[in-house]
Amino acid sequence: MTNPLLSDWTGPFGLPPFDAIRDEDFGPAFDTALDEARAAIAAIADDPAEPSFANTIAALELAEENLERVAGVFFNLAGSDSNAAREALQRDLAPKLSAFSSEVTMNKALFTRIETLWQARSDLDLTEEEARVLELYRRMFVRAGAQLDGAEAERLKEIKSRLAVLSTEFTQNLLADERDWARALTGDELEGLPDFVVGSLRAAAEERGQDGHVLTLARSVVSPFLQFSPRRDLREIAHKAWAARGANGGATDNRAIAAEILALREERAKLLGYADFASFKLEPEMAKTPGAVRDLLMRVWKPARAKAEADAAALEEMLREDGINGPLEPWDWRYYAEKRRKVLHDLDEAALKPYLPLDGMIAAAFDVANRLFGLEFRPLDGPLYHPDARAWEVTRKGRHMAVFIGDYFARGSKRSGAWCSAFRSQRKLGAEVRPVVVNVCNFAKGDPALLSWDDARTLFHEFGHALHQILSDVTHPFISGTSVARDFVELPSQLYEHWLEVPEVLDRHARHWKTGEAMPADLRDRLLAAATYDQGFATVEYLGSALVDLAFHTGPAPADPMARQAEVLGEIGMPRAIGMRHATPHFAHVFAGDGYSAGYYSYMWSEVMDADAFAAFEEAEDPFHPEIAEKLERYILSAGGSREAEELYTAFRGRMPGVEPLLKGRGLLDVA
Ligand SMILES: [Zn+2]
């Protein structure tokens, strides 16, 4: 029988045949696809013809097509719907894929061809995009160690392979810790909780096949519990369990893994001639150097901490009023901040949720994309990989643009957080290929599912990433969609969040799930007025993580990351009642892969630009200004990595931004 992963995908829009794929198909499909890719790479490297862009770079672009197809399906499923078989295969694949990628980048004959083209680039009559892709290929090879020989080359290969194994273990340990912890709650332990929190605790129990109500470590369950439970003892239990993920001792403990990863990264950077891993990692980013990153983070840190300290004093006052002595603790912050929000802004998260049904917010995200970019969305039937996932066809003026998949609900088989990825990316090389994009979130299930304001922002955020793929219009897959500098990639997503706060978007789409009535204007205005509420906390918990990440990768790797983490937090004066948004043992951004290592700062770097970019629409006094939207698509959303990020931004806005719009957007200017 033919392997469905390797057969032609003849279903609508070439979607993977999800209903035909069985877990046991993945292993053999990977083996075959790897063999094919090896043969294709060898044919390019050993081609007797003189190197040309077409027979080298363009050929490389298409050499791993089946491998990319199989990996696209597998890694999406491994993240959003894992099981024991998929986890085992993931562990098995990590070193195999790493070895293959090392083979390619260490292939001397291949690198010689690329280097020959690079040296002759001005005589090759390349298009602007081809020149850019050639430059990026050469940079990728050099940074992967193509210029190393002998023992050094061998050692680099070992390091990469070991890192791949460690990051898979890190992820799986975290998933296990999040899945394994649960606490059944008795009736009196539910007292004082709003209905939607009780509902999500019931749904969490159901998902585990249990009766009653169960507190779990899914963010969509534990976070509202910490916000609303008047039971300080239970909040402490929940917060400690949440904070201990990856640090529970035993087989799933991530601390030693983190230390080994940091040491190997430093060794890798040194082999390649860099002072430390941060210098290596930041070189191709907009930031360029660890110093530039630290400058930005510290400029924001000071006003953010001042704001958080002032807020902490106010919250501690409320703690006293409840008759509790002793300091404000991390498990108190969300609870008292929620109470204070009601006092200051007369805004109750529970009163808001009925106006934020999931389907209404999906419709809002689609409608904004329609008004800005003319995109249309039509529900698509057909089997997907999980019953909770839904698909839409995206078109513009009748032309097929993409398939968009939304997989919104939390479940035990899904890793935490929210993300956007692609089963297939856009390209024109060879043949025109349109993308298949997926947004994965962890919203609490409900009937109907009602979002928090934070959830709604997350939905818009991930949809902004999706648009970066859907609107992509480049020739080469290497620079398609979100294949841009790490500190630029959050610009489209964070920029899109701004449209959720446009009053007419809320008026049209934030409608009561039962009555269909629009959110009352005074509730809407109070919601928008409260937009900067508790931003001291949010900024501090984020910056704590970003500064620890940067410190881990600057200078020698710490032998004891937990001690180094404590040292960094001490140096910056982290407020005691605020934890890091992600502490080391569960800092998946940094340890579950290489993506955001020495790169967690990227969100703030991008925010400097998104605040400034949305200001372009505000200055025009039209959030849907057609010419600005057209520029946004032309220079940013369709352009992928076809030019340096700084050039793209400057083309859109006419200049680079300063940090002020960000401080203003977070309400931190008044205390700065
Ligand atoms: Zn993002």
Side-chain angles (χ1 to χ4, degrees), residues 46-82:
D46 304 334
D47 190 342
E50 286 289 298
S52 67
F53 185 88
N55 73 18
T56 306
I57 302 296
L60 275 174
E61 284 278 85
L62 301 176
E64 297 172 17
E65 206 173 351
N66 263 339
L67 183 58
E68 279 157 13
R69 274 204 314 170
V70 176
V73 177
F74 179 72
F75 287 105
N76 275 298
L77 296 195
S80 62
D81 194 24
S82 200

Coordinates of all heavy atoms in Angstrom, one line a residue, residues 46-82:
D46 N 27.3 17.3 -6.9 CA 28.2 16.6 -7.8 C 27.9 16.9 -9.3 O 28.4 16.2 -10.2 CB 28.1 15.1 -7.6 CG 28.4 14.7 -6.1 OD1 29.2 15.5 -5.5 OD2 28.0 13.7 -5.6
D47 N 27.0 17.8 -9.5 CA 26.7 18.2 -10.9 C 28.0 18.6 -11.7 O 28.7 19.5 -11.2 CB 25.7 19.4 -10.8 CG 25.1 19.7 -12.2 OD1 25.7 19.2 -13.2 OD2 24.1 20.4 -12.2
P48 N 28.3 17.9 -12.8 CA 29.5 18.3 -13.5 C 29.4 19.7 -14.2 O 30.4 20.3 -14.5 CB 29.6 17.2 -14.6 CG 28.2 16.6 -14.7 CD 27.6 16.8 -13.4
A49 N 28.2 20.2 -14.4 CA 28.0 21.5 -15.0 C 28.6 22.6 -14.1 O 28.6 22.4 -12.8 CB 26.6 21.7 -15.3
E50 N 29.0 23.7 -14.7 CA 29.4 24.9 -13.9 C 28.3 25.3 -13.0 O 27.1 25.2 -13.4 CB 29.7 26.0 -14.9 CG 31.0 25.9 -15.6 CD 32.2 26.1 -14.7 OE1 32.3 27.2 -14.1 OE2 33.0 25.1 -14.5
P51 N 28.6 25.8 -11.8 CA 27.5 26.2 -10.9 C 26.8 27.4 -11.5 O 27.4 28.3 -12.0 CB 28.2 26.6 -9.6 CG 29.6 26.7 -9.9 CD 29.9 25.9 -11.1
S52 N 25.4 27.3 -11.4 CA 24.6 28.5 -11.8 C 23.6 28.7 -10.7 O 23.4 27.8 -9.9 CB 23.9 28.2 -13.1 OG 23.0 27.2 -13.0
F53 N 22.9 29.8 -10.7 CA 21.9 30.0 -9.7 C 20.8 28.9 -9.8 O 20.4 28.3 -8.9 CB 21.2 31.4 -9.9 CG 20.2 31.7 -8.8 CD1 20.6 32.3 -7.6 CD2 18.9 31.3 -8.9 CE1 19.7 32.5 -6.6 CE2 18.0 31.6 -7.9 CZ 18.4 32.2 -6.7
A54 N 20.5 28.6 -11.1 CA 19.4 27.6 -11.3 C 19.8 26.2 -10.9 O 19.0 25.5 -10.2 CB 19.0 27.6 -12.8
N55 N 21.0 25.8 -11.2 CA 21.4 24.4 -10.9 C 21.9 24.2 -9.5 O 22.2 23.1 -9.0 CB 22.3 23.8 -11.9 CG 23.8 24.3 -11.8 OD1 24.2 24.9 -10.8 ND2 24.5 24.1 -12.9
T56 N 22.1 25.3 -8.7 CA 22.5 25.2 -7.4 C 21.5 25.7 -6.4 O 20.8 25.0 -5.6 CB 23.8 26.0 -7.2 OG1 24.8 25.5 -8.2 CG2 24.4 25.7 -5.8
I57 N 21.2 27.0 -6.4 CA 20.3 27.6 -5.4 C 18.9 27.2 -5.6 O 18.2 26.7 -4.7 CB 20.5 29.2 -5.3 CG1 21.9 29.5 -5.0 CG2 19.5 29.7 -4.3 CD1 22.4 29.1 -3.6
A58 N 18.4 27.4 -6.8 CA 17.0 27.1 -7.1 C 16.8 25.6 -7.0 O 15.8 25.2 -6.4 CB 16.6 27.5 -8.6
A59 N 17.8 24.8 -7.3 CA 17.7 23.3 -7.2 C 17.6 23.0 -5.7 O 16.8 22.1 -5.3 CB 18.9 22.6 -7.9
L60 N 18.4 23.6 -4.9 CA 18.4 23.4 -3.4 C 17.0 23.7 -2.8 O 16.5 23.1 -1.9 CB 19.4 24.2 -2.7 CG 20.9 23.7 -2.6 CD1 21.8 24.8 -2.0 CD2 20.9 22.4 -1.8
E61 N 16.4 24.8 -3.4 CA 15.1 25.2 -2.9 C 14.1 24.1 -3.0 O 13.1 24.1 -2.2 CB 14.7 26.5 -3.6 CG 15.4 27.8 -3.2 CD 14.8 28.4 -1.9 OE1 15.2 27.9 -0.9 OE2 13.9 29.2 -2.0
L62 N 14.2 23.3 -4.0 CA 13.2 22.3 -4.3 C 13.7 20.9 -3.9 O 12.9 19.9 -4.1 CB 12.8 22.3 -5.8 CG 12.2 23.7 -6.2 CD1 11.9 23.7 -7.7 CD2 11.0 24.1 -5.5
A63 N 14.9 20.7 -3.4 CA 15.5 19.4 -3.2 C 14.8 18.6 -2.0 O 14.9 17.4 -2.0 CB 17.0 19.5 -2.9
E64 N 14.1 19.3 -1.1 CA 13.6 18.6 0.1 C 12.1 18.6 0.1 O 11.5 18.6 1.2 CB 14.2 19.2 1.3 CG 15.7 19.1 1.4 CD 16.4 19.9 2.5 OE1 15.7 20.3 3.4 OE2 17.6 20.1 2.4
E65 N 11.5 18.6 -1.1 CA 10.1 18.9 -1.1 C 9.3 17.8 -0.3 O 8.4 18.2 0.5 CB 9.6 18.9 -2.6 CG 8.3 19.7 -2.6 CD 7.9 20.0 -4.1 OE1 8.6 19.7 -5.0 OE2 6.8 20.5 -4.2
N66 N 9.5 16.6 -0.5 CA 8.7 15.6 0.2 C 9.1 15.6 1.7 O 8.2 15.4 2.5 CB 9.1 14.2 -0.3 CG 8.0 13.7 -1.3 OD1 6.9 14.3 -1.3 ND2 8.3 12.8 -2.2
L67 N 10.3 15.8 2.0 CA 10.7 15.9 3.4 C 9.9 17.0 4.1 O 9.4 16.9 5.2 CB 12.2 16.1 3.5 CG 12.8 16.2 4.9 CD1 12.5 14.9 5.7 CD2 14.3 16.4 4.9
E68 N 9.8 18.2 3.4 CA 9.1 19.3 4.0 C 7.6 19.0 4.2 O 7.0 19.4 5.1 CB 9.3 20.6 3.1 CG 10.6 21.2 3.4 CD 11.2 22.1 2.3 OE1 10.4 22.4 1.4 OE2 12.4 22.5 2.4
R69 N 7.1 18.3 3.2 CA 5.6 17.9 3.3 C 5.4 17.0 4.5 O 4.5 17.3 5.3 CB 5.2 17.1 2.0 CG 4.8 18.0 0.9 CD 3.9 17.3 -0.1 NE 4.3 15.9 -0.5 CZ 3.5 15.1 -1.2 NH1 2.3 15.5 -1.5 NH2 3.9 13.9 -1.5
V70 N 6.2 16.0 4.6 CA 6.1 15.0 5.7 C 6.3 15.7 7.1 O 5.5 15.6 8.0 CB 7.0 13.8 5.6 CG1 6.9 12.9 6.8 CG2 6.7 13.1 4.3
A71 N 7.4 16.5 7.1 CA 7.7 17.2 8.4 C 6.6 18.2 8.7 O 6.3 18.4 9.9 CB 9.1 17.9 8.3
G72 N 6.1 18.9 7.7 CA 5.0 19.9 7.9 C 3.8 19.2 8.6 O 3.3 19.8 9.6
V73 N 3.4 18.0 8.2 CA 2.3 17.4 8.9 C 2.7 16.9 10.3 O 2.1 17.1 11.3 CB 1.8 16.2 8.0 CG1 0.7 15.4 8.8 CG2 1.3 16.6 6.7
F74 N 3.9 16.2 10.3 CA 4.3 15.6 11.6 C 4.5 16.6 12.7 O 3.9 16.4 13.8 CB 5.5 14.7 11.4 CG 5.9 14.1 12.7 CD1 5.2 13.1 13.3 CD2 7.0 14.6 13.5 CE1 5.5 12.5 14.5 CE2 7.3 14.1 14.7 CZ 6.5 13.0 15.2
F75 N 5.2 17.6 12.5 CA 5.5 18.5 13.6 C 4.3 19.4 14.0 O 4.2 19.7 15.2 CB 6.8 19.4 13.3 CG 8.0 18.6 13.3 CD1 8.7 18.2 12.2 CD2 8.5 18.1 14.5 CE1 9.8 17.4 12.2 CE2 9.6 17.3 14.6 CZ 10.3 16.9 13.5
N76 N 3.4 19.6 13.1 CA 2.2 20.3 13.5 C 1.4 19.3 14.4 O 0.9 19.8 15.4 CB 1.3 20.7 12.3 CG 1.8 22.0 11.7 OD1 1.7 23.0 12.4 ND2 2.2 22.0 10.5
L77 N 1.3 18.1 14.1 CA 0.6 17.1 14.9 C 1.3 16.9 16.2 O 0.6 16.8 17.3 CB 0.4 15.8 14.2 CG -0.5 15.8 12.9 CD1 -0.9 14.4 12.6 CD2 -1.7 16.7 13.1
A78 N 2.6 16.8 16.2 CA 3.4 16.6 17.4 C 3.1 17.7 18.4 O 3.1 17.5 19.7 CB 4.8 16.4 17.1
G79 N 2.9 18.9 17.9 CA 2.7 20.1 18.8 C 1.3 20.2 19.3 O 1.0 20.6 20.4
S80 N 0.3 19.9 18.4 CA -1.0 20.2 18.7 C -1.9 19.0 19.1 O -3.0 19.2 19.6 CB -1.7 20.9 17.5 OG -1.7 20.1 16.4
D81 N -1.4 17.8 18.8 CA -2.2 16.6 19.2 C -1.3 15.4 19.3 O -1.3 14.5 18.6 CB -3.2 16.4 18.1 CG -4.3 15.4 18.5 OD1 -4.5 15.3 19.8 OD2 -4.9 14.7 17.7
S82 N -0.4 15.5 20.4 CA 0.6 14.5 20.6 C 0.0 13.2 21.2 O -1.1 13.3 21.8 CB 1.7 15.1 21.4 OG 2.9 14.3 21.2

